[in-house]
Amino acid sequence: MITTLDHLKDGDIATIHEILGGHGIRHRLNNLGIHPKDQVEVIRSGYLGGPMFIKVHDIQVGIGQGMAKKIEVEVAP
Amino acid sequence: MIRVALVGQPNCGKSALFNSVAGYKAMVSNFPGTTIEYLSSQVLINGDRFDLIDLPGIYSLSSPESEELISRRYLLREHPDVIINIMDASVLSRSLELTLELLDLQIPMVVCLNMMDEAQKKGIQIDVDHLSQELEVPVIPTIAIRGSGVTELFKTTLDIAHSMSHGKIFSFSQDIEDVVSKIGSLAHEALVKNTGSSRRFLSLKFLEQDKEFEDQIFKSAPALMPALKKLRKEISDCRGKPADMAILSERHALAMNLFEHVAKVRPRKKRSVRIQIDKYILHPVLGYVLLAGILFGLFTLVFGFGKEVEAPLLAQFERWALYLNQHVEKGSLFSFIMNGLIQGFTGGIGIVLPYLIPFIIGLSLLEDIGYLPRAAFLMDAIMHRIGLHGKSVIPFVLSYGCNVPAIMAIRILEKPRDRYITAILATLIPCAARTTIIFAIIGFYLGPLYALSLYLFNILVIAVAGKILSMLMPEPSPGLVLEIPSYRLPTLSALCKKTWFRLREFIVIAWPLLIVGSLILSLLEYFKLSGFINDLLSPLISSVLGLPEAVGITLIFGILRKELTLVMLVQALGTSDFSVVMTHAQMLVFTVFSLFYVPCLATLGMLRSVIGTRGMVLTLIFTTGLAILIALFFRIVPVIF
């Protein structure tokens, strides 16, 4: 099933399908080591519009929900 | 002397390496035209001299944000003799992407493979020799925070500087390489020279749609643009995605490939304990309780300790001053000069020893452990409402104690814009000295409820001012993306070095200002110029704000140190019962004005060092303007009702 990252819950694991944002977002995520086909784990989802805490490879990243909406992920059924 | 630039991704231990070799001669220097500074230091290692430049951490040489390009600009314009590329071995595959870009620059390079201990903990085994063969540059494993491997690193750096050997350039797929060389051959000599890079680097950056390179090509060779764009389109057509994506994923693939060649990862069975800790630390309820506790703890520690130490310390200096005064003629010019100097000097001691030292140690500890980015994460949603970053909460909280360490803490923010806004807002927060003014005037004469309301009003003003400032300086990026590094155990030596570096900044920058300022005020007193100053300020003080003319001089003293306002007020008004000379409405206007106007001299000194002279002047104008506006508001409102 394909959804966006902001919909995932605590402990969910998914594969990044596509990054929907423009040039700026692609570069920022790439710089942090987040690419399509990478596996992403949600350690803590966002509350009250706050950011979510994710792990990609061994890198932990805090990411705002606005950004998370632009990351399309594939969740294993 | 060999110029060596330290380049690495954020949190790779670059500063730890720099601090471990840089003596106390390290200087904060500014890049021309920007407010971002870098540290440079001349060091002597194994008898050889190096000019060491600690560049701001960067994830890659192509960032959509121009502030993050500072380090690239330095490399392209200044061409250091050697680059030391510091890699965090525990995130090797990502670090390799920056390394691949650096190799394209064709500057002699040494790789410093740092945090080998962390990598081992994560189960990553790196074949150092193999990595060195692949990159064709020397690779030295280090644990910079403990200083291990550092001597060998600089020995190798020296060798590389003499041999001038470059590393290997990694090739992309044939179709991309073809376009790269076509673009390279189209670019003429002057254009390549203007960018300070190589043909290959220029081509790649153009394909990555790098704004700075596009602008430069447009400026020096606009005629080339259509042909270049056509070539770029060739790639996007063929790959079915934008050219920049094609380059990024090729580089990622190269790095991953390299990583698989040189490193082995033993899968760990158990989930990392650190992730479990984060479940609590970032918990939506517990996390905030803990954050409040830590901030409150830091606050009480710093100011509780400070209060205990400051009083006896100042009393001791008072005794010495009295003793000295016995030996000079009372009321002579010399005694005024001497007392002015003593006051400025003890003023500095009164801030440095009791407050700054515990604060710097506390903040460095939180920073080294890795708590600061987590605090930023927790506060992000709230701070975002006033257009700021979550990290801004730390300077804000500290400001209630003293603005000086708060301004110093602004360095934890990376972007100049965030630094500007946070700095201006932090100076509006009532520090301990201004709190005494609020209590002694408003709390005493108008009642504690008024004092409390004034605090709430202050927060409201800050929120509104933040909103306005962030509208004036809009943020280009859509939201937070912040790497949250693993927890690390701080080491004593790194802590001491950091504390010293930060302390030195205050001693060199703010303290002299305090001494000179206090000397000038002393001379004003000697030459009996306070009447003159009052006359000068009278249009503002009595006409606009409707206050007794005599309070003008107290506000000038308040710039030196805020608590002097109160002391001087007693002297200027000739009574310690303010209600005899001022109405309650006047007291409110006076307190509000002294709450918001110009921060004290020591704060101004720190402001200048952190956000530059322009930022300091901007803060001066902004706070004074705001103070007049708000005081005027408080003067007019009671009249209406």
Side-chain angles (χ1 to χ4, degrees):
Chain A
M1 187 188 65
I2 289 188
T3 176
T4 48
L5 183 63
D6 58 306
H7 285 107
L8 299 190
K9 299 270 163 302
D10 288 14
D12 281 357
I13 293 176
T15 310
I16 295 176
H17 185 252
E18 209 179 331
I19 289 158
L20 302 173
H23 178 259
I25 292 181
R26 289 199 299 264
H27 277 253
R28 273 172 72 117
L29 293 174
N30 181 77
N31 282 352
L32 283 167
I34 300 173
H35 319 83
K37 297 197 190 78
D38 283 352
Q39 204 180 61
V40 52
E41 181 185 346
V42 177
I43 297 171
R44 170 204 190 278
S45 50
Y47 292 89
L48 302 169
M52 55 199 304
F53 188 49
I54 58 169
K55 198 175 142 198
V56 179
H57 302 298
D58 242 341
I59 297 152
Q60 302 168 97
V61 177
I63 185 165
Q65 296 208 359
M67 287 288 240
K69 273 193 179 66
K70 301 207 164 109
I71 301 177
E72 218 173 54
V73 292
E74 194 172 346
V75 191
Chain B
M1 191 156 34
I2 302 158
R3 273 185 317 133
V4 180
L6 302 182
V7 186
Q9 297 187 327
N11 291 308
C12 65
K14 202 163 47 62
S15 298
L17 176 68
F18 182 81
N19 288 347
S20 77
V21 287
Y24 12 113
K25 268 194 295 180
M27 293 204 319
V28 176
S29 329
N30 280 305
F31 279 102
T34 68
T35 49
I36 290 192
E37 68 284 324
Y38 63 94
L39 282 165
S40 82
S41 177
Q42 290 180 12
V43 294
L44 201 67
I45 302 166
N46 321 328
D48 298 300
R49 273 184 179 283
F50 294 91
D51 189 2
L52 215 57
I53 297 122
D54 185 17
L55 292 173
I58 42 167
Y59 286 108
S60 81
L61 292 180
S62 42
S63 167
E65 268 150 277
S66 65
E67 295 113 17
E68 288 172 25
L69 294 177
I70 297 286
S71 302
R72 178 176 90 184
R73 266 177 230 144
Y74 181 88
L75 293 175
L76 292 178
R77 281 188 206 153
E78 307 290 326
H79 272 277
D81 299 318
V82 183
I83 292 175
I84 295 185
N85 172 210
I86 297 110
M87 283 169 113
D88 178 351
S90 67
V91 285
L92 184 67
S93 64
R94 187 183 73 187
S95 312
L96 277 168
E97 292 189 36
L98 175 63
T99 307
L100 292 180
E101 278 191 283
L102 288 172
L103 287 171
D104 281 335
L105 287 176
Q106 294 276 285
I107 295 173
M109 188 162 102
V110 179
V111 165
C112 161
L113 198 54
N114 196 26
M115 305 212 187
M116 286 299 275
D117 49 342
E118 283 285 319
Q120 250 151 27
K121 264 187 224 157
K122 282 189 173 177
I124 305 172
Q125 288 288 353
I126 302 166
D127 185 341
V128 176
D129 293 333
H130 195 173
L131 180 62
S132 171
Q133 279 164 23
E134 289 278 350
L135 299 173
E136 293 173 15
V137 296
V139 177
I140 314 293
T142 59
I143 304 169
I145 202 145
R146 281 194 240 135
S148 79
V150 174
T151 319
E152 202 196 334
L153 176 69
F154 281 93
K155 225 166 93 194
T156 314
T157 305
L158 193 68
D159 293 342
I160 286 296
H162 291 314
S163 71
M164 306 256 295
S165 61
H166 304 160
K168 177 174 156 190
I169 288 183
F170 284 77
S171 300
F172 294 124
S173 308
Q174 199 50 51
D175 55 336
I176 289 183
E177 284 300 329
D178 286 346
V179 173
V180 167
S181 55
K182 270 185 209 159
I183 294 178
S185 60
L186 281 176
H188 39 72
E189 201 56 52
L191 173 60
V192 179
K193 221 176 157 194
N194 269 349
T195 62
S197 63
S198 62
R199 279 172 197 281
R200 180 182 172 78
F201 195 78
L202 173 83
S203 312
L204 285 173
K205 288 302 151 211
F206 176 75
L207 288 177
E208 284 174 39
Q209 296 178 29
D210 186 275
K211 210 172 158 314
E212 228 173 51
F213 273 79
E214 275 187 358
D215 288 350
Q216 241 155 0
I217 295 172
F218 196 76
K219 250 193 268 162
S220 17
L224 270 182
M225 261 325 210
L228 295 183
K229 279 194 172 154
K230 201 171 148 249
L231 283 166
R232 187 159 71 189
K233 201 165 166 296
E234 254 175 45
I235 290 187
S236 57
D237 285 348
C238 161
R239 292 294 175 108
K241 53 183 163 190
D244 65 300
M245 262 320 248
I247 303 282
L248 291 186
S249 42
E250 285 259 329
R251 196 177 287 129
H252 176 53
L254 277 177
M256 284 306 272
N257 194 10
L258 205 59
F259 174 74
E260 276 156 22
H261 266 84
V262 301
K264 279 196 183 65
V265 185
R266 273 182 291 120
R268 284 163 302 162
K269 283 180 221 110
K270 264 182 76 180
R271 265 177 79 85
S272 160
V273 189
R274 294 169 184 182
I275 296 268
Q276 295 299 336
I277 295 175
D278 270 332
K279 286 230 167 210
Y280 297 104
I281 292 207
L282 300 177
H283 189 273
V285 180
L286 276 180
Y288 289 97
V289 175
L290 197 71
L291 174 67
I294 287 176
L295 290 181
F296 183 74
L298 180 67
F299 189 86
T300 31
L301 183 95
V302 170
F303 297 102
F305 177 82
K307 255 194 182 147
E308 287 298 312
V309 178
E310 190 186 14
L313 201 69
L314 289 187
Q316 185 58 45
F317 273 96
E318 195 98 332
R319 275 195 288 278
W320 284 336
L322 269 176
Y323 175 77
L324 281 176
N325 269 311
Q326 282 170 0
H327 296 271
V328 287
E329 194 190 332
K330 202 172 177 326
S332 67
L333 178 60
F334 181 74
S335 88
F336 270 87
I337 291 177
M338 186 185 81
N339 283 319
L341 289 176
I342 291 177
Q343 265 212 5
F345 184 76
T346 50
I349 298 250
I351 298 176
V352 172
L353 286 175
Y355 296 108
L356 270 187
I357 293 179
F359 155 72
I360 293 174
I361 293 176
L363 184 75
S364 305
L365 262 178
L366 287 182
E367 200 177 11
D368 288 355
I369 290 171
Y371 187 70
L372 285 193
R374 285 162 175 91
F377 176 89
L378 285 169
M379 289 308 291
D380 196 67
I382 299 162
M383 294 314 251
H384 237 84
R385 303 248 153 100
I386 56 169
L388 277 175
H389 194 287
K391 275 190 197 172
S392 305
V393 73
I394 298 197
F396 284 166
V397 169
L398 289 166
S399 263
Y400 281 101
C402 175
N403 287 178
V404 176
I407 302 298
M408 213 178 249
I410 280 167
R411 285 202 192 284
I412 60 177
L413 300 167
E414 291 90 14
K415 287 197 200 148
R417 168 202 177 267
D418 294 346
R419 286 185 177 189
Y420 255 84
I421 298 179
T422 312
I424 294 175
L425 296 183
T427 57
L428 297 178
I429 291 175
C431 60
R434 280 179 273 182
T435 298
T436 44
I437 302 175
I438 295 174
F439 283 175
I441 300 180
I442 301 300
F444 189 73
Y445 292 101
L446 281 81
L449 210 61
Y450 274 89
L452 184 68
S453 315
L454 203 55
Y455 272 92
L456 295 178
F457 174 74
N458 176 261
I459 292 174
L460 184 78
V461 169
I462 289 166
V464 173
K467 198 92 197 151
I468 293 170
L469 285 173
S470 56
M471 274 194 304
L472 291 176
M473 295 184 240
E475 191 173 24
S477 69
L480 173 90
V481 192
L482 172 74
E483 184 177 3
I484 299 183
S486 310
Y487 293 103
R488 282 180 184 138
L489 267 181
T491 66
L492 190 64
S493 70
L495 190 69
C496 291
K497 284 222 162 103
K498 218 177 209 172
T499 305
W500 164 242
F501 270 115
R502 292 192 170 152
L503 202 59
R504 207 182 50 129
E505 193 178 10
F506 176 84
I507 294 172
V508 174
I509 292 160
W511 207 346
L513 254 177
L514 213 59
I515 294 174
V516 171
S518 136
L519 183 65
I520 292 172
L521 282 186
S522 206
L523 291 175
L524 278 184
E525 243 182 303
Y526 177 77
F527 291 109
K528 307 234 169 359
L529 289 173
S530 54
F532 172 71
I533 302 260
N534 282 340
D535 286 346
L536 211 67
L537 289 175
S538 131
L540 173 69
I541 300 298
S542 33
S543 312
V544 179
L545 302 179
L547 294 171
E549 205 171 272
V551 307
I553 188 75
T554 68
L555 294 171
I556 297 291
F557 272 88
I559 297 175
L560 181 64
R561 278 172 68 194
K562 291 285 174 180
E563 57 267 45
L564 286 182
T565 313
L566 209 58
V567 181
M568 293 308 292
L569 197 61
V570 178
Q571 208 171 45
L573 298 177
T575 169
S576 55
D577 184 2
F578 302 141
S579 62
V580 179
V581 268
M582 279 205 275
T583 65
H584 282 185
Q586 281 180 319
M587 285 182 194
L588 202 57
V589 172
F590 178 78
T591 311
V592 165
F593 188 79
S594 41
L595 175 57
F596 287 108
Y597 85 118
V598 184
C600 71
L601 261 183
T603 307
L604 285 174
M606 278 322 295
L607 273 173
R608 193 170 156 238
S609 153
V610 174
I611 60 170
T613 311
R614 245 186 59 196
M616 183 191 74
V617 173
L618 202 79
T619 314
L620 260 175
I621 296 170
F622 184 81
T623 49
T624 313
L626 195 68
I628 294 173
L629 268 177
I630 295 174
L632 206 58
F633 171 79
F634 271 84
R635 187 191 173 188
I636 291 166
V637 168
V639 177
I640 297 170
F641 291 106

